[in-house]
Amino acid sequence: MTSGVSVVSAWAGAASASNSFTITDAVVIFVVVIVLLTLVVALAGRRTRLLVYRPRLRTAHSRRVRRAAQEDIEEIERDAWRRREVPRREDENDDL
């Protein structure tokens, strides 16, 4: 088994012996990597956006359930605002 130092030195020697790697090759590799990363991020973002926003409702039952849920949420929010406007009696009598 070879040690890590000899593997690194062998790789460095092979790299220095081969002068065919140019700046153009490095730029091409860099551009390819950037394009691939952009595609991966775009696909992941699209999939996340589809999961976060509304899913497609394929049946009438699904649409009715969503509509009922939205109405429930609106009613809960209206009820919460109504309760905030009415002062609570326990708070008024704390000083006595």
Side-chain angles (χ1 to χ4, degrees), residues 37-55:
L37 283 174
T38 304
L39 286 174
V40 168
V41 169
L43 289 174
R46 180 175 182 260
R47 186 155 185 87
T48 303
R49 187 174 61 246
L50 289 175
L51 292 175
V52 170
Y53 292 110
R54 296 184 196 180

Side-chain angles (χ1 to χ4, degrees), residues 33-82:
V33 168
I34 294 298
V35 168
L36 290 176
L37 283 174
T38 304
L39 286 174
V40 168
V41 169
L43 289 174
R46 180 175 182 260
R47 186 155 185 87
T48 303
R49 187 174 61 246
L50 289 175
L51 292 175
V52 170
Y53 292 110
R54 296 184 196 180
R56 293 182 187 140
L57 302 176
R58 300 186 187 272
T59 64
H61 174 71
S62 298
R63 289 188 288 275
R64 283 192 306 268
V65 169
R66 176 177 294 275
R67 207 173 309 120
Q70 287 173 341
E71 290 171 3
D72 289 345
I73 290 170
E74 290 170 1
E75 181 61 32
I76 290 169
E77 289 173 348
R78 279 193 301 268
D79 189 41
W81 280 108
R82 275 188 235 131

Side-chain angles (χ1 to χ4, degrees), residues 11 14-30 33:
W11 178 78
S16 65
S18 170
N19 290 332
S20 63
F21 190 75
T22 63
I23 297 295
T24 306
D25 295 335
V27 170
V28 169
I29 291 171
F30 178 77
V33 168

